[in-house]
Amino acid sequence: MSNAMWGGRFTASPDSIMEEINASIGFDQRLAAQDIAGSKAHAAMLAQRGIVSAEDAAAIQDGLDRIAGEIEAGTFTFSRALEDIHMNVESRLAELIGEAAGRLHTARSRNDQVALDFRLWVRDTLDAVDAALHDLQLALAEKALAHADAVMPGFTHLQSAQPVTLGHHLMAYVEMIGRDRGRFSDARRRMNESPLGAAALAGTSYPIDRHAVAAALGFDRPTANSLDSVSDRDFALEALSAAAICAVHLSRFAEEIVLWATPQFGFAALSDRFSTGSSIMPQKRNPDAAELVRGKAGRVIGDLVGLLVVMKGLPLAYSKDMQEDKEGTFDALDALALTVPAMAGMVRDMTPDLVRMKAAAGSGYSTATDLADWLVQKLDMPFRQAHHVTGRIVALAAARGATLEQLPLAALQGIEPRITATVFDVLGADRSVASRTSFGGTAPDNVRAQATAWLERLKG
Ligand code: ARG
């Protein structure tokens, strides 16, 4: 039997491998709710414009509602022979309401239908991602406020650089995620146009009302060019780009959690709820959730690159290559749906070891810059010379196995005789962070103000 939906000019049915390569129902059944919503809006418009009768439209609406119920209840049978979600739904509609079902596809093609369904799905999912990111920001900002003055080492090259506070470090991620949310919301705003009514590629001769359909589905307006409407997937690419950048942010933080949780760093303990054991080494507490957040970033980046490559050589308008747009997009946004709440959970449950962080902040001569600044401010030394003098003091401390604070005054004066005991005021990590009061700096008062301002925004 040839295909019931398009088989008019065919005598033979597809080869089984043809059916297998062609079918998308295995994954695009995730678009069922969007497909039905789009069809309902389309049918209502067709009746409104007198293109189908009110009775047929009512039967279609009723049938589509029943199908939605069947899918939700898990009683709907998806058929591979019917290729995709669109034809599965339409075929079931025909079983339920008979001939009127055949009128639903008037003034529409699967090309604009799938463009619509996929847009609706991405739009709905971006809203869910945004809510999850909002919650992660809350978790971070709350933790940051609680630890606004907890001193820890700040790193460059993963070498101790200057002391910072844990709160400041966490707030860095609040900023990054704020920009991620901005990118998602930009993408959402740009994609919020309805492609339905572009039909196969050229538009339609029926007197449809694309504006009404767009409004019914929560779009700002219909898309302006029918060829563009059915052939572009930049809405998915933008979502994937934002997802990839966001996943990279999460991955960097995940990597830090992995480091912090090692006995060697010992900066933070993850809760049992976010750790796993080893089947052979009884002592192990592994940060698997953080590692998976880090690992999934690779997939999300791959999903973006995959779709870019699918699209790059396609002539206008629709080509079946574009059916490859969905799985990667689902995969990437599914990954975020797991990783973002996992990060929020880890942040909320994490117990920082403030004593170890502080001890580490004081090691590695992390206040050397403070010493150089003291020489500039108190002795009016040019910074370059102060840098050099400090370097000699650091070398002396290293030779003695001492921290800068532990060097006796006489030893400091042996290198620069004008140094006085007040220098010790700036050599402690606490003093160092307290002095970083420039806008955006790590001083605890700054961090508290930033965290408080974010929390107000997030809760407001
Ligand atoms: N399953 C198809 C897809 O995902 C729907 C559009 C099919 N259009 C067509 N002309 N064959 O892209």
Side-chain angles (χ1 to χ4, degrees):
M1 187 200 71
S2 66
N3 188 291
M5 311 302 281
W6 46 249
R9 66 162 293 180
F10 290 76
T11 48
S13 54
D15 189 271
S16 72
I17 195 72
M18 175 62 209
E19 189 181 292
E20 196 173 338
I21 194 175
N22 200 33
S24 54
I25 190 61
F27 48 88
D28 69 13
Q29 54 184 269
R30 287 185 70 170
L31 303 177
Q34 289 77 15
D35 192 71
I36 290 170
S39 288
K40 291 189 68 171
H42 183 66
M45 179 278 291
L46 291 177
Q48 181 69 35
R49 303 293 294 189
I51 300 167
V52 304
S53 71
E55 301 77 64
D56 283 349
I60 289 171
Q61 299 288 0
D62 182 55
L64 288 170
D65 286 338
R66 286 169 61 188
I67 293 170
E70 290 176 1
I71 291 174
E72 210 165 303
T75 57
F76 188 95
T77 320
F78 292 101
S79 148
R80 196 178 76 177
L82 290 165
E83 285 182 35
D84 55 26
I85 186 62
H86 324 295
M87 296 203 295
N88 268 269
V89 169
E90 193 185 319
S91 164
R92 177 66 182 143
L93 189 63
E95 283 173 15
L96 290 173
I97 69 167
E99 212 179 65
R103 300 194 185 277
L104 171 60
H105 211 52
T106 314
R108 178 175 88 167
S109 152
R110 275 190 293 156
N111 296 348
D112 57 341
Q113 192 177 356
V114 74
L116 171 78
D117 293 3
F118 195 31
R119 256 179 216 248
L120 286 173
W121 187 90
V122 172
R123 191 182 76 179
D124 293 348
T125 306
L126 290 193
D127 291 344
V129 168
D130 185 67
L133 288 172
H134 176 269
D135 185 60
L136 175 55
Q137 283 186 302
L138 265 180
L140 286 163
E142 270 159 6
K143 203 79 170 182
L145 189 58
H147 298 293
D149 52 12
V151 174
M152 67 176 272
F155 299 94
T156 60
H157 314 268
L158 199 57
Q159 306 280 327
S160 282
Q162 294 174 348
V164 296
T165 68
L166 175 58
H168 196 53
H169 194 105
L170 297 175
M171 287 308 295
Y173 286 100
V174 173
E175 294 291 333
M176 287 178 242
I177 291 162
R179 293 192 297 277
D180 290 331
R181 291 181 66 195
R183 273 180 283 274
F184 282 122
S185 92
D186 287 347
R188 189 196 192 287
R189 201 173 321 117
R190 234 182 323 277
M191 70 176 279
N192 202 32
E193 297 183 345
S194 171
L196 201 67
L201 74 165
T204 178
S205 56
Y206 292 96
I208 59 172
D209 183 350
R210 292 192 59 208
H211 291 82
V213 172
L217 294 168
F219 288 107
D220 295 327
R221 62 192 80 82
T223 49
N225 179 295
S226 63
L227 290 168
D228 176 47
S229 311
V230 293
S231 65
D232 209 279
R233 291 294 181 268
D234 63 7
F235 65 88
L237 288 170
E238 275 199 65
L240 286 174
S241 309
I245 296 171
C246 179
V248 166
H249 287 154
L250 299 181
S251 178
R252 295 180 72 176
F253 187 33
E255 165 65 6
E256 292 182 327
I257 291 175
V258 170
L259 287 173
W260 293 356
T262 58
Q264 289 76 8
F265 268 79
F267 284 3
L270 288 172
S271 68
D272 284 357
R273 303 188 327 144
F274 287 96
S275 306
T276 56
S278 156
S279 56
I280 175 169
M281 297 165 284
Q283 84 283 11
K284 292 294 286 288
R285 274 176 70 83
N286 294 328
D288 290 37
E291 293 166 71
L292 286 162
V293 170
R294 190 176 58 187
K296 282 183 192 292
R299 283 172 65 155
V300 177
I301 294 164
D303 293 329
L304 167 63
V305 175
L307 185 55
L308 284 168
V309 178
V310 165
M311 296 303 296
K312 71 170 274 296
L314 294 187
L316 302 187
Y318 179 85
S319 296
K320 197 63 172 261
D321 313 47
M322 289 164 66
Q323 183 165 284
E324 296 294 320
D325 58 359
K326 291 171 205 65
E327 287 162 289
T329 306
F330 292 157
D331 184 70
L333 296 179
D334 286 350
L336 285 190
L338 283 172
T339 53
V340 177
M343 285 309 270
M346 280 187 274
V347 169
R348 289 202 166 96
D349 277 22
M350 178 180 356
T351 313
D353 187 332
L354 303 179
V355 174
R356 271 191 78 103
M357 279 189 171
K358 183 157 185 199
S363 70
Y365 318 108
S366 64
T367 54
T369 316
D370 300 87
L371 172 54
D373 289 341
W374 186 92
L375 296 171
V376 169
Q377 283 163 9
K378 297 291 184 304
L379 306 184
D380 199 26
M381 217 180 253
F383 182 78
R384 202 38 69 204
Q385 188 190 339
H387 186 285
H388 186 75
V389 169
T390 304
R392 290 179 55 207
I393 293 173
V394 168
L396 178 68
R400 293 192 180 190
T403 67
L404 294 177
E405 257 182 306
Q406 287 164 349
L407 284 177
L409 180 59
L412 298 173
Q413 287 171 336
I415 289 170
E416 168 50 61
R418 290 178 294 160
I419 293 180
T420 66
T422 63
V423 75
F424 290 106
D425 288 349
V426 303
L427 295 184
D430 277 314
R431 284 298 301 264
S432 172
V433 296
S435 73
R436 300 277 192 267
T437 54
S438 56
F439 183 79
T442 196
D445 285 346
N446 277 2
V447 175
R448 261 186 290 274
Q450 294 283 344
T452 306
W454 265 107
L455 285 170
E456 267 167 31
R457 263 167 77 184
L458 293 165
K459 289 177 175 167

